[in-house]
Amino acid sequence: MCLAVPGKVIERRGNKAIIDYGGVRREADISLVDVKEGDYVIVHAGFAIQVLSKEDAEETLKIFEEMLKNA
Amino acid sequence: MLQLRDKKIADEILARIKKLNLQLKIMHVCGTHQDTIVRYGLDSLLKNCGIEVIQGPGCPVCVTTTLEIQKAITLAKNGVTVATFGDMIKVPAAGTSLQKARAEGGDVRVVYSIDDAVKMAEKGEVVFIGVGFETTAPSTAVTLLNEPENFYVLSCHRYIPPALDALLGMGEIKLDGIICPGHVSTIIGMEPYKPLSSRYKIPQVIAGFEPLDILMAVYMIARQIDEGRHEVENEYVRVVRSEGNKKAQEALKEVFNPADAEWRGFPVIKKSKMALKKEFEEYDAEKRYENLLENIEMAEEAKGCRCGEVLRGLIYPQQCPLFGKICNPSNPVGPCMVSIEGACNIEYRYKE
Ligand code: SF4
């Protein structure tokens, strides 16, 4: 249930938005986040709970490399 | 995201952990973390580096008490339409379950989102069984703030930090560090964990759900211990902001009050359950159906089931004598075998 998946905001309609999960589109409630079309969000049980920061996977890997370097 | 499974980086992190030469027991409280750990065999990889990782009370369905499930079943048996997330319907309680109540004619619906339940309520009264931690509860809060009609909630929502506090305070299990749940933390941020780190001198690291996230979080905990620190750190920076999600926090605060409550396997934990505030009483299933619900007594737990100890991190699923023999996902004895977030279910799915 705590599974939450990232998807892309395709179209906003008031409190709802169409979210694209790599081809599969579903509606989600966006009243808990400030989003614009094109943003990536984490969706849990039909509600977007956070906008993914630009620090995507690549950024995380960079942080990892930094940490491993400094160890 | 695939890169977050990079074998080379994984090996490097593991080598660093091993080099610190520590013997640690680390707890996490999230079914999705456990899924990643068991699916990718991180448990044995880490064991080789001296690190034991165990799942605590991190499965909302599992920590829901037998009494709460009895209440849901009672409603279903008395002609009330009950809507709930899938895992709940199979949890055995008092020799029955929501699934059995449905087979006997009860109106029990499985929903993927609280929205589905609200839509159902257009046709008549619906009770939504609100299960889940801070990740899920904001959706219930937002829904009630929208003033739905014919709609009631049986709140079984709970807060994670009080459970960690209880667990550390009980002192039954000696823990060296905690991996904090990524999506609960998405909502609550880093602040609520801080008093625990100072009180119990224990490192806590918020982690994401890819294998490298978990390994990195373990390494960050090990490093804190090696350097004599006990802080709250965030590995899952791509999603978790240190202040969390303010809108969701506000919705929770508006709708719920923290109440003392039992968790499965635990005695009463102070301020750990989200009870509907007085202003939202009109949506409270416990009030609406008071006549049906007020005198139910909690039934005995299933004989031999050791979910309580699994949830307190005292035993691994395999240490339960019923595991895989009498108890399996098609015939679950306890909720930890029912829920896909339960330690017994995850262990069975990947290892049996
Ligand atoms: S294996 Fe089954 S009976 Fe044993 S603790 Fe897990 S759920 Fe309970």
Side-chain angles (χ1 to χ4, degrees):
Chain A
M1 194 184 307
C2 276
L3 234 160
V5 276
K8 187 174 177 181
V9 179
I10 298 298
E11 193 192 325
R12 293 186 46 160
R13 296 176 186 163
N15 278 341
K16 309 273 183 196
I18 302 296
I19 312 286
D20 181 281
Y21 307 92
V24 183
R25 292 184 177 193
R26 282 186 80 169
E27 196 182 64
D29 188 297
I30 49 167
S31 45
L32 294 170
V33 289
D34 293 312
V35 284
K36 45 183 194 321
E37 286 162 13
D39 282 346
Y40 281 86
V41 287
I42 297 273
V43 178
H44 170 77
F47 281 68
I49 56 168
Q50 191 55 282
V51 184
L52 242 81
S53 71
K54 295 286 171 287
E55 290 141 20
D56 54 8
E58 237 166 78
E59 197 64 30
T60 301
L61 282 171
K62 258 191 229 146
I63 297 168
F64 283 9
E65 272 161 24
E66 269 316 294
M67 286 210 59
L68 292 170
K69 229 190 282 161
N70 294 337
Chain B
M1 281 294 165
L2 270 177
Q3 283 167 301
L4 287 173
R5 295 174 192 170
D6 190 294
K7 174 96 173 48
K8 228 178 76 208
I9 301 180
D11 287 344
E12 193 163 340
I13 300 173
L14 284 164
R16 304 273 172 164
I17 296 171
K18 196 161 189 171
K19 213 166 122 206
L20 292 176
N21 194 19
L22 297 163
Q23 298 292 320
L24 304 178
K25 190 169 210 166
I26 295 174
M27 180 178 275
H28 69 81
V29 284
C30 174
T32 315
H33 278 159
Q34 184 67 8
D35 191 281
T36 302
I37 289 166
V38 179
R39 182 197 297 237
Y40 296 98
L42 306 182
D43 42 358
S44 44
L45 290 173
L46 285 165
K47 218 170 195 157
N48 290 336
C49 306
I51 314 286
E52 214 185 306
V53 188
I54 192 158
Q55 180 176 5
C59 157
V61 169
C62 307
V63 300
T64 301
T65 60
T66 295
L67 181 60
E68 288 165 322
I69 294 160
Q70 285 172 274
K71 286 183 178 171
I73 295 171
T74 304
L75 291 173
K77 283 194 168 167
N78 283 281
V80 180
T81 299
V82 169
T84 184
F85 295 130
D87 280 358
M88 280 296 283
I89 72 163
K90 282 197 215 156
V91 178
T96 178
S97 66
L98 280 169
Q99 197 173 36
K100 282 187 189 152
R102 180 166 69 185
E104 289 157 13
D107 189 8
V108 178
R109 317 269 187 98
V110 171
V111 293
Y112 295 98
S113 160
I114 190 168
D115 266 357
D116 303 341
V118 173
K119 281 186 198 121
M120 261 171 224
E122 286 165 13
K123 297 209 183 82
E125 280 187 16
V126 170
V127 172
F128 176 71
I129 315 297
V131 180
F133 300 129
E134 290 93 332
T135 325
T136 322
S139 61
T140 303
V142 168
T143 300
L144 295 188
L145 287 167
N146 288 335
E147 304 176 0
E149 279 184 41
N150 285 332
F151 191 79
Y152 304 89
V153 173
L154 186 72
S155 175
C156 309
H157 290 306
R158 285 169 162 80
Y159 302 96
I160 277 287
L164 292 174
D165 197 355
L167 200 106
L168 293 165
M170 281 157 73
E172 259 182 329
I173 176 170
K174 166 89 188 66
L175 294 174
D176 302 292
I178 291 175
I179 298 174
C180 301
H183 291 142
V184 165
S185 309
T186 300
I187 303 296
I188 69 175
M190 295 173 78
E191 223 39 61
Y193 299 108
K194 289 185 180 165
L196 301 178
S197 268
S198 5
R199 193 171 319 140
Y200 300 103
K201 308 211 178 323
I202 191 164
Q204 298 178 86
V205 176
I206 296 166
F209 302 95
E210 292 291 325
L212 287 189
D213 287 322
I214 305 274
L215 293 179
M216 200 58 190
V218 169
Y219 177 51
M220 288 164 80
I221 289 173
R223 236 167 70 161
Q224 285 201 37
I225 290 175
D226 186 57
E227 292 164 8
R229 293 181 292 127
H230 43 81
E231 293 160 14
V232 179
E233 292 178 314
N234 181 11
E235 181 277 335
Y236 197 30
V237 286
R238 62 189 187 276
V239 174
V240 175
R241 318 275 182 273
S242 61
E243 71 282 5
N245 179 333
K246 289 271 183 208
K247 275 192 185 178
Q249 290 167 24
E250 259 144 46
L252 288 180
K253 231 186 259 162
E254 239 182 292
V255 172
F256 297 111
N257 256 337
D260 300 350
E262 278 184 44
W263 293 40
R264 187 183 299 272
F266 289 80
V268 170
I269 302 177
K270 283 232 148 43
K271 299 192 167 174
S272 64
K273 186 165 159 174
M274 301 185 200
L276 288 172
K277 277 190 171 169
K278 212 160 171 54
E279 301 91 286
F280 293 89
E281 226 176 48
E282 59 183 301
Y283 303 108
D284 193 343
E286 306 243 16
K287 295 263 152 54
R288 170 73 179 88
Y289 297 103
E290 202 169 359
N291 57 329
L292 292 175
L293 301 179
E294 68 184 344
N295 290 322
I296 304 174
E297 270 185 42
M298 176 131 74
E300 298 267 321
E301 306 292 328
K303 233 177 132 196
C305 173
R306 297 180 68 184
C307 274
E309 288 152 278
V310 170
L311 292 167
R312 299 206 297 285
L314 299 178
I315 63 163
Y316 287 99
Q318 286 89 342
Q319 287 170 276
C320 170
L322 306 188
F323 179 83
K325 300 190 181 86
I326 300 169
C327 183
N328 58 59
S330 28
N331 178 37
V333 176
C336 301
M337 188 59 91
V338 173
S339 175
I340 53 161
E341 293 182 274
C344 301
N345 179 287
I346 294 169
E347 202 66 22
Y348 189 92
R349 256 190 295 135
Y350 293 114
K351 294 198 180 154
E352 289 292 303

